[in-house]
């Protein structure tokens, strides 16, 4: 079944008030009606990296990380599969208060929203995963911990997951970026996500909806910007920075955000992980872009020309990280929690080279994420706030043993 999903994928592509630390967090599971109301931006004159969370991209930021879940409803759109208005299970990672570790540690199973057994049973029955596929483990954040009182205003980074994947597939990078002061927002693209744990039950990936999913996904990521800038959930009201919004996505999610920056000009920075886009790039697009790509990515190999054309056509500044011995899912966390899902698309453990079939070893998860995390944090900070320290970081290939690096200013 997994190989069939990859075939479908290829066919479609080619076609609030501040909380004091120690206060109880808001566990409301729906978006509030409060306006974000805070238009302040980060102090561009603050060059002290010891006090500015954006200025040390090579290390985790100064904040512990909280995460919380919402069910967001778009009353202007209908589900592509099933009935009713389009609803998105949405995760937010954010800088949490200093005693966030007094809140429950988030475990992998918590992403299933009390439907872990139901979801796993349905996924096994559908042939998407193997028996006893998932092992529960802590994911590095604290569920529903209050936001840090000193972290506002937080820039917003909207993530789009891969084809038939889930909102938490890049929780490692989400944690890292949140530790530096960002609010990372990621939704299950209902009907195209592997599963969406909606209150009435688990909605599985629907192959018949695949031809419509790109347009649905593009609407989803812009809807998330609306929800967190115009109808901000109470926990984050007055704490988000609507003037600094970024997109990032992996695989089909990278295609999603690449295509949506062509029409949603609220986004000024985009990171594309193991993906591509469709030329041309309209002249109105001014977003800075960073492209992270693996030279041994079998899923993306048929679309490499599209990838190269988008890299060429995007306006500067832009950056490309081209990793030597790296497959598709190395840019996500699937190698940690579901190697069997990632095996068909490559990126975990031993792989074979495109063209020659020679064996090679994909980079260890923690090793490649050291690179992804650092450059992503530097990119968003430099693009949003123009810090010289981050521009200098982006001017150099700090991992020449792992990648070719091409910045264009």
């Amino acid at each position: 079944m997994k190989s069939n999903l990859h075939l479908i994928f290829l066919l479609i592509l080619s076609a609030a008030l501040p909380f004091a630390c120690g206060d109880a967090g808001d566990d409301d599971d729906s978006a509030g009606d409060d306006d974000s109301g805070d238009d302040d931006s980060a102090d561009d004159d603050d060059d002290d990296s010891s006090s500015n969370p954006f200025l040390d991209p090579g290390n985790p930021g100064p904040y512990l990380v909280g995460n919380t879940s919402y069910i967001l409803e778009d009353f202007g759109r209908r589900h592509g599969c099933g009935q009713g208005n389009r609803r998105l299970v949405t995760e937010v990672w954010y800088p949490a208060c200093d005693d966030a570790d007094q809140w429950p540690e988030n475990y992998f199973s918590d992403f299933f929203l009390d439907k872990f057994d139901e979801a796993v049973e349905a996924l096994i029955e559908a042939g998407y995963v193997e028996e006893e596929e998932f092992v529960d483990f802590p994911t590095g954040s604290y569920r529903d911990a209050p936001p840090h009182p000193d972290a506002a205003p937080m820039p917003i980074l909207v993530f789009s997951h891969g084809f038939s994947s889930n909102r938490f597939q890049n929780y490692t990078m989400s944690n890292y970026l949140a530790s530096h002061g960002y609010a990372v927002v990621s939704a299950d693209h209902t009907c195209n996500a592997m599963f969406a744990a909606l209150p009435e039950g688990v909605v599985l990936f629907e192959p018949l909806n695949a031809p419509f999913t790109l347009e649905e996904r593009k609407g989803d990521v812009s809807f998330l910007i609306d929800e967190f800038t115009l109808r901000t959930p109470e926990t984050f009201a007055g704490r988000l920075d609507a003037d600094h919004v970024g997109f990032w996505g992996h695989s089909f999610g990278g295609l999603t955000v690449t295509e949506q920056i062509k029409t949603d000009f609220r986004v000024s920075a985009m990171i594309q992980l193991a993906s591509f886009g469709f030329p041309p790039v309209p002249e109105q697009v001014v977003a800075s872009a960073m492209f992270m790509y693996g030279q041994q990515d079998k899923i993306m190999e048929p679309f490499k020309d599209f990838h190269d054309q988008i890299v060429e056509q995007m306006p500067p500044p832009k950056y490309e990280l081209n990793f030597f011995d790296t497959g598709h899912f190395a840019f996500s966390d699937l190698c940690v929690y579901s190697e069997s899902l990632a095996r068909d698309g490559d990126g975990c453990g031993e792989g074979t080279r495109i063209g020659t079939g020679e064996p090679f070893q994909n980079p260890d998860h923690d090793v490649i994420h050291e690179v992804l995390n650092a450059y992503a944090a530097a990119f968003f900070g430099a693009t949003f706030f123009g810090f010289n320290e981050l521009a200098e970081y982006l001017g150099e290939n700090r991992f020449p043993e792992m990648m070719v690096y091409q910045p264009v200013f």
Side-chain angles (χ1 to χ4, degrees), residues 283-300:
E283 292 182 1
Q284 303 96 308
V285 174
V286 296
S288 299
M290 175 170 278
F291 304 89
M292 300 178 176
Y293 197 83
Q295 293 184 2
Q296 301 303 324
D297 187 334
K298 294 183 176 67
I299 283 184
M300 285 298 109

Side-chain angles (χ1 to χ4, degrees), residues 108-109 112-121 134-136:
F108 177 73
S109 60
F112 291 65
L113 305 185
D114 297 322
K115 290 183 169 58
F116 184 78
D117 292 339
E118 177 185 343
V120 171
E121 182 179 350
F134 299 127
V135 177
D136 212 8

Side-chain angles (χ1 to χ4, degrees), residues 381-401:
T383 302
F384 289 154
F385 306 118
F387 294 128
N388 290 332
E389 294 90 337
L390 298 182
E392 291 174 4
Y393 192 98
L394 293 174
E396 179 182 342
N397 185 353
R398 299 167 185 272
F399 301 89
E401 73 284 0

Side-chain angles (χ1 to χ4, degrees), residues 143-196:
R143 182 156 285 275
D144 299 324
H148 199 285
D150 300 331
M154 296 179 270
I156 303 167
L157 304 179
V158 175
F159 176 75
S160 180
H161 65 71
F163 192 86
S164 76
S165 190
N166 281 99
R167 70 191 189 282
F168 49 81
Q169 66 150 78
N170 277 70
Y171 68 83
T172 295
M173 291 184 71
S174 298
N175 282 334
Y176 195 88
L177 291 166
S179 79
H180 280 273
Y182 297 95
V184 179
V185 179
S186 176
D188 290 324
H189 293 291
T190 311
C191 306
N192 189 255
M194 176 159 285
F195 72 91

Side-chain angles (χ1 to χ4, degrees), residues 76-357:
R77 295 186 299 155
R78 306 285 287 179
H79 272 313
C81 63
Q83 304 295 318
N85 296 325
R86 187 155 178 80
R87 287 176 299 156
L88 303 176
V89 182
T90 304
E91 202 74 22
V92 187
W93 291 262
Y94 53 90
C97 63
D98 291 335
D99 64 350
D101 57 1
Q102 301 303 304
W103 267 255
E105 192 168 12
N106 189 79
Y107 273 69
F108 177 73
S109 60
D110 292 326
F111 290 130
F112 291 65
L113 305 185
D114 297 322
K115 290 183 169 58
F116 184 78
D117 292 339
E118 177 185 343
V120 171
E121 182 179 350
L123 291 169
I124 291 172
E125 184 176 346
Y128 294 150
V129 300
E130 299 171 0
E131 199 80 35
E132 305 299 331
E133 171 73 24
F134 299 127
V135 177
D136 212 8
F137 58 91
T139 63
S141 57
Y142 298 93
R143 182 156 285 275
D144 299 324
H148 199 285
D150 300 331
M154 296 179 270
I156 303 167
L157 304 179
V158 175
F159 176 75
S160 180
H161 65 71
F163 192 86
S164 76
S165 190
N166 281 99
R167 70 191 189 282
F168 49 81
Q169 66 150 78
N170 277 70
Y171 68 83
T172 295
M173 291 184 71
S174 298
N175 282 334
Y176 195 88
L177 291 166
S179 79
H180 280 273
Y182 297 95
V184 179
V185 179
S186 176
D188 290 324
H189 293 291
T190 311
C191 306
N192 189 255
M194 176 159 285
F195 72 91
L198 293 172
E200 68 274 18
V202 173
V203 178
L204 293 184
F205 168 80
E206 175 50 71
L208 295 178
N209 192 62
F212 315 105
T213 194
L214 181 56
E215 289 303 312
E216 281 188 339
R217 285 163 154 270
K218 289 165 58 181
D220 290 347
V221 293
S222 286
F223 168 72
L224 291 175
I225 298 177
D226 292 342
E227 288 298 290
F228 285 86
T229 59
L230 304 177
R231 301 177 289 275
T232 312
E234 184 178 353
T235 298
F236 300 102
R239 306 192 55 79
L240 301 179
D241 184 356
D243 292 328
H244 296 101
V245 179
F247 274 161
W248 59 302
H250 173 257
S251 192
F252 207 108
L255 174 63
T256 299
V257 298
T258 301
E259 292 305 298
Q260 193 62 1
I261 60 166
K262 298 176 181 179
T263 57
D264 196 327
F265 302 121
R266 295 172 294 181
V267 179
S268 57
M270 178 197 76
I271 292 180
Q272 186 193 92
L273 301 168
S275 190
F276 68 102
F278 296 125
V281 175
E283 292 182 1
Q284 303 96 308
V285 174
V286 296
S288 299
M290 175 170 278
F291 304 89
M292 300 178 176
Y293 197 83
Q295 293 184 2
Q296 301 303 324
D297 187 334
K298 294 183 176 67
I299 283 184
M300 285 298 109
E301 179 61 17
F303 311 102
K304 189 175 185 309
D305 286 345
F306 286 127
H307 168 84
D308 292 343
Q309 290 175 47
I310 286 294
V311 173
E312 181 180 355
Q313 292 184 20
M314 282 294 293
K318 54 189 174 183
Y319 312 85
E320 182 173 22
L321 289 67
N322 201 323
F323 290 82
F324 299 131
D325 288 333
T326 307
H328 193 67
F329 291 111
F331 297 92
S332 73
D333 290 314
L334 266 79
C335 297
V336 173
Y337 67 81
S338 183
E339 270 201 53
S340 74
L341 288 175
R343 194 174 299 133
D344 289 348
D346 70 79
C348 307
E350 187 174 287
T352 56
R353 298 187 188 283
I354 295 171
T356 69

